[in-house]
Amino acid sequence: MEYIIGVDIGTTSTKSVLYDMKGKVLAYANVGYKLYQDIPDMAEEDPEDIFEAVLNVMGQVIRKSKVNTESIKGVSFSSAMHSLILMDQNNHPLTRAITWADNRAAKYSEELKKNGIGSQIYAKTGTPIHPMAPLSKIIWLRHEKPELFKETKKFIDLKTYVFFKLFGVYKMEYSIASATGMFNIFKLQWEKQALDLLQINANQLPELVEPTATITGIKQKYGELLGLSADVPFIFGASDGVLSNLGVNAIDPGVVAVTIGTSGAVRVVVDKPVVDPDGKLFCYALTKDKWVVGGPVNNGGIVFRWVKDQLFAPEKITAEQMQVSTYDILTQIAEKIPAGSDGLLFHPYLGGERAPIWNAYARGSFFGLTRKHTRAHMVRAALEGIVYNLYVVMLTIEKITGKPKSIQATGGFARSKLWRQMLADIFEQDVTIPESFESSCLGAAVLGMYALGYIDDLSAVKGMVGVTDVHHPNVKNFEVYRELLPIWIRVSEVLEPEYKEIAEFQKKHSN
Ligand code: ADP
């Protein structure tokens, strides 16, 4: 038997899975680390913690699976997007890894949007202008930490750091590069306008390679530690988002991946890079011939958590005493209310919003309340509102990719049958729930199999991903949603100009 390891470097932990070449899982490991949030808007990680976690999970899956290390044919990587580490002349980090969740560059991304340079750069890079992206972060560092900026030899990301430690070279694959805001997705090279704006040159960035590129020659001490010989190829891989599309079998044209975990996303694979005229969608590389267009949403399951904690605290206590999930109880409560919540609409923007409106000031609202409405209506309206918002992202994507054919849906929401059916009814699409386990690790492994010639096509993933549930749209329900959606969309447009003032009021009066 021959095996491959997938490693996924995430924001809170690194995961690894050892697979056989048919995608069967032999061993799994997960190691967490600290997120540094010493001051408001900061979200950093220690690159050494991450490197140690990577070694640790790889070692664990090799040991747990008990496979002969000579039968391990490759190690392939996924990682979170948008991280930034500044490296000095001696190849030591000058900063921790500044993650996507770090918001300190907000002022500079706002400026880029206002002065129009942002949209020019977006049109070439496909990365929405946002503090999450290294583009905005480097501008922030140049202005606010000029001494660090001056000392920087290389601007890299977490995955590049891990490969540097293992192999001593600075290389970044197109997928992570395409999420920096500095990479021209049409020319597959660093974008001059972005570099000029940042006042850096291409030598200060890693060398670019394809996601399927491989490297051998792991440093002896790490090879010995893991029991891997220097000729085992490591595949550079891609970012977690695009690999998750692959890992849930949303790889064919028209198959849309919808995720509702804590946050959410809608993503679809296309075969050429494309950008959205309004700058509201991302376009990130999976390989040089497959690109993922989509929108990330802040307000996913975290909103249901708010409903549970703030509106249903007594039920939460009862559920805990009965040792059942409060979410299941709330789902049962919502089930008694008809589709459309008797005309109660909810805009789920409790934490500002990225796609579809890209407005950090956005706030939540119930609209259409009458004396007839109960807390049960509010739960159902909240679940519906989260899905309406994702549907609006889908409408934006549809304009460039055409109508979807079906949906592969994942995330914590899939535990609720009601919520899964709601997705099918609001999107008017068949929804399949794949049997997904660490989909980004599987995506990395499948990309690795492809890079090493074990499979001819990425669609081989089909045979590796099972199905747990399938839902078809219910005509009665989707007719109700068709009536309500235009109202929901118009109300959000009407509210949009009001968000900033109320958010500033809240900030001014918060203590
Ligand atoms: P993460 O995105 O952090 O990995 P998950 O994918 O596990 O997290 O999603 C967590 C969310 O899933 C919760 O915030 C909640 O909204 C939702 N969730 C968890 N359990 C249930 C359930 N039994 N029914 C419905 N939704 C649930």
Side-chain angles (χ1 to χ4, degrees), residues 90 164 439 478:
N90 303 314
F164 181 80
S439 54
F478 77 60

Side-chain angles (χ1 to χ4, degrees), residues 361-410:
Y361 303 112
R363 294 293 180 264
S365 54
F366 281 104
F367 177 77
L369 270 170
T370 67
R371 282 195 298 273
K372 191 180 154 205
H373 289 123
T374 61
R375 279 193 310 159
H377 287 88
M378 290 181 168
V379 193
R380 180 154 190 139
L383 298 179
E384 289 174 341
I386 296 166
V387 181
Y388 291 156
N389 192 43
L390 289 161
Y391 181 69
V392 174
V393 179
M394 184 67 240
L395 291 178
T396 321
I397 299 178
E398 245 179 61
K399 283 194 213 146
I400 21 190
T401 65
K403 277 256 171 222
K405 280 199 251 147
S406 64
I407 293 172
Q408 299 286 105
T410 53

Side-chain angles (χ1 to χ4, degrees), residues 260-263 301-302 304-305 325 327-328 331 411-413 415-416 419:
I260 312 179
T262 303
S263 56
I302 196 164
F304 193 21
R305 192 160 87 197
S325 154
Y327 291 122
D328 291 343
T331 302
F413 98 106
R415 279 174 235 153
S416 157
W419 213 355

Side-chain angles (χ1 to χ4, degrees), residues 182-224:
M182 306 183 278
F183 175 77
N184 187 311
I185 56 178
F186 302 99
K187 296 184 182 160
L188 303 180
Q189 63 195 38
W190 295 117
E191 168 51 42
K192 188 167 179 308
Q193 187 182 6
L195 270 46
D196 288 349
L197 174 77
L198 301 175
Q199 300 176 12
I200 64 173
N201 59 58
N203 294 334
Q204 288 177 280
L205 294 169
E207 181 191 331
L208 292 162
V209 295
E210 287 187 35
T212 47
T214 60
I215 185 166
T216 52
I218 186 170
K219 285 186 185 162
Q220 201 180 350
K221 68 174 168 180
Y222 301 123
E224 278 169 10

